[in-house]
Amino acid sequence: MTTFEAALLGFVQGLTEFLPVSSSGHLVVVPELLGVPSPPLAFDVLLHLSSALAVMGYFARDLLQMAKAYVSPRSMRPAEVRFWRRLLVFLVVGSIPTDVAGLVFGGFFENLFSSTLAVGLFLMVTGLLMLAADAVLERSVGSRKTGRDMKVTDALVVGLFQALAIAPGLSRSGSTICAGMFLGFERRSAARFSFLLSIPAILGAGLINLGDLRDGFSGQGGVFLVGAAVSFVASALAVYGMLRFLRSHRFRPFIIYTLLLGAFVVVLSLA
């Protein structure tokens, strides 16, 4: 792998990790379209860990508040202690379905990564999910829920959507944001919980594959680090940009993109 290829894949992964277009799908499609060798597992793990660090940095205050609510609750108002403690519980609950799906169906999902047809179909499913979420938002009446209105069942439902997004082409951020919107949450609150929920999911997958990262890092460490640095910056920009975008915009550009790209990939795989 060259430095340019590492930087390109790092940019693609970092940008698409938090945009509702599927980073896993793009890491399958982009190398094939551009004739770039498929990245080794160690490189893929490193890119995702870089994305996790980026979102942790972006939400550092939230993470510190959750820790403070348990370590030093007397320095906070009781209502704030309850909120941040509940949020941490919700993140744990929301992470359970992904952990179970990875352990039970890991082999099945892994086989899908070798199917370009599956990637194309799941990209189209991502577009349809966003189309449905926008339709729900259009028809909703009255104020929508914020993060302070979340319940354990809401976190579990969002977690189930995240578990399904292990499939390549089915966007994790898109699926979980849509799940929140289906449950009645306003877009930014759904996105914030989606991004926070990505932290244990990405870190967990990275820890499971830590041995592959160690074994594959030798020989191309410098090249890998370039990709990781690019992924870090692109991930941070994607989180910032997506939260700003959702203040006043719907999913329309992402719907068009994923439906067209998915259809193109399906046609390409059948040609």
Side-chain angles (χ1 to χ4, degrees), residues 74-232:
R74 293 184 179 180
S75 62
M76 305 171 70
R77 291 180 298 173
E80 292 301 302
V81 172
R82 288 194 297 271
F83 170 73
W84 292 110
R85 285 183 175 181
R86 282 166 58 83
L87 180 56
L88 183 58
V89 171
F90 295 155
L91 293 176
V92 172
V93 171
S95 300
I96 293 173
T98 303
D99 295 337
V100 174
L103 291 172
V104 178
F105 303 108
F108 170 75
F109 285 117
E110 188 174 339
N111 290 334
L112 291 177
F113 279 82
S114 61
S115 171
T116 308
L117 175 61
V119 172
L121 291 174
F122 281 121
L123 278 168
M124 296 177 72
V125 171
T126 295
L128 293 175
L129 273 176
M130 290 187 286
L131 186 63
D134 270 356
V136 168
L137 185 65
E138 180 74 28
R139 296 177 182 178
S140 63
V141 179
S143 60
R144 296 178 68 81
K145 295 187 290 187
T146 68
R148 294 185 179 273
D149 301 311
M150 180 167 279
K151 299 177 181 178
V152 172
T153 51
D154 296 324
L156 185 60
V157 171
V158 175
L160 289 170
F161 273 75
Q162 177 171 261
L164 294 174
I166 297 176
L170 189 55
S171 168
R172 190 211 63 81
S173 61
S175 297
T176 49
I177 294 173
C178 288
M181 292 171 65
F182 293 149
L183 291 167
F185 289 89
E186 53 99 5
R187 288 170 295 188
R188 277 176 55 82
S189 294
R192 287 182 68 85
F193 186 72
S194 166
F195 295 154
L196 285 168
L197 191 60
S198 74
I199 296 173
I202 298 173
L203 287 179
L207 291 174
I208 291 173
N209 295 292
L210 201 58
D212 298 294
L213 176 61
R214 184 188 63 248
D215 297 338
F217 202 80
S218 59
Q220 285 197 302
V223 174
F224 280 18
L225 288 176
V226 169
V230 174
S231 175
F232 179 90

Side-chain angles (χ1 to χ4, degrees), residues 37-55:
S38 296
L41 179 58
F43 183 66
D44 184 64
V45 171
L46 185 61
L47 293 187
H48 281 83
L49 288 176
S50 297
S51 290
L53 290 176
V55 75

Side-chain angles (χ1 to χ4, degrees), residues 22-36:
S22 178
S23 63
S24 60
H26 279 74
L27 286 179
V28 172
V29 172
V30 170
E32 186 167 332
L33 291 179
L34 299 183
V36 177

